[in-house]
Amino acid sequence: MKGSLLIAAVLFFSINIKAQFTATWALTTDGSSVVAGTQAANVVAGVMSPFQATGTGTYGTNGYGIQTTRANWATSASDNYYLDFPISPAAGFDINFTTLTFRSRTSGGSGNSGVELSYQVDGAGPWVPITGTPAFPHLFNGSSQNYNGTINATFTSGHTYVIRMYEYWATSGSSQTTNRTNTIGTVVFGGNTVVSGPVPTVTT
């Protein structure tokens, strides 16, 4: 009997750590998202909202590209250049994020660009850093160092969330000049959902 319970517990744990949904922003023609997977109905994803303090942003084959004008890129994460990804749990569910992939590249000049992630709850308050493996900041250049890793964040029912992807130049000099374009594409968050509420107490 105990052996059967142990096997059942292992199977339950294995099923729940595997990604059961993906939320994808291709960013080739617009900021729309597609949620897929067996738990897709438990996740609400919206349109990506970009912001650049100066310059222009353009959708294209490789994703959404930002090119600054009249000002150099920031050399650390800031609210000057970012992409916002709205993603929240449906009523009655919590989201456990486990995976993240995206394409990243630059054009023009030399040196590395950087990406870091944070999230905000209910459209107010602090931006909370998201950690990942490989660790952030993710550095990339014209060679298109794509990110394919794991992240650890939980979004709970009854709240709305936005994940912010900061973009900046990780080195100064030619990498900071305004003729460079930073492009992010095919952003895919993965994870699983669980019924919201306290963990049940098991009595023996």
Side-chain angles (χ1 to χ4, degrees):
M1 180 66 177
K2 289 183 178 179
S4 299
L5 290 174
L6 178 61
I7 292 172
V10 170
L11 289 173
F12 178 83
F13 180 76
S14 299
I15 290 171
N16 279 274
I17 62 173
K18 182 180 179 181
Q20 299 295 309
F21 77 86
T22 56
T24 302
W25 286 262
L27 305 182
T28 52
T29 58
D30 57 29
S32 62
S33 60
V34 175
V35 181
T38 58
Q39 296 181 340
N42 305 336
V43 178
V44 179
V47 176
M48 185 280 290
S49 177
F51 177 80
Q52 52 269 351
T54 62
T56 58
T58 307
Y59 294 99
T61 302
N62 295 312
Y64 188 81
I66 296 176
Q67 184 179 51
T68 60
T69 57
R70 303 181 303 279
N72 286 343
W73 282 87
T75 54
S76 62
S78 71
D79 288 333
N80 290 329
Y81 304 96
Y82 59 79
L83 309 179
D84 276 355
F85 299 89
I87 181 167
S88 303
F93 292 92
D94 297 342
I95 293 176
N96 297 312
F97 291 98
T98 57
T99 61
L100 170 63
T101 62
F102 59 87
R103 298 200 314 264
S104 51
R105 64 177 298 168
T106 66
S107 61
S110 61
N112 289 320
S113 176
V115 160
E116 296 182 32
L117 298 180
S118 293
Y119 70 87
Q120 188 182 55
V121 186
D122 294 333
W127 289 89
V128 181
I130 295 176
T131 58
T133 304
F136 296 111
H138 165 67
L139 302 180
F140 60 99
N141 53 43
S143 300
S144 300
Q145 283 85 3
N146 299 332
Y147 188 86
N148 185 355
T150 61
I151 59 173
N152 183 17
T154 297
F155 291 178
T156 56
S157 179
H159 300 279
T160 60
Y161 295 82
V162 171
I163 296 177
R164 177 163 292 180
M165 180 179 288
Y166 299 98
E167 302 179 37
Y168 60 93
W169 294 124
T171 52
S172 59
S174 64
S175 64
Q176 193 185 5
T177 58
T178 59
N179 68 328
R180 308 245 0 231
T181 301
N182 186 25
T183 303
I184 301 292
T186 316
V187 178
V188 184
F189 291 95
N192 60 76
T193 65
V194 295
V195 175
S196 180
V199 176
T201 302
V202 178
T203 58
T204 58

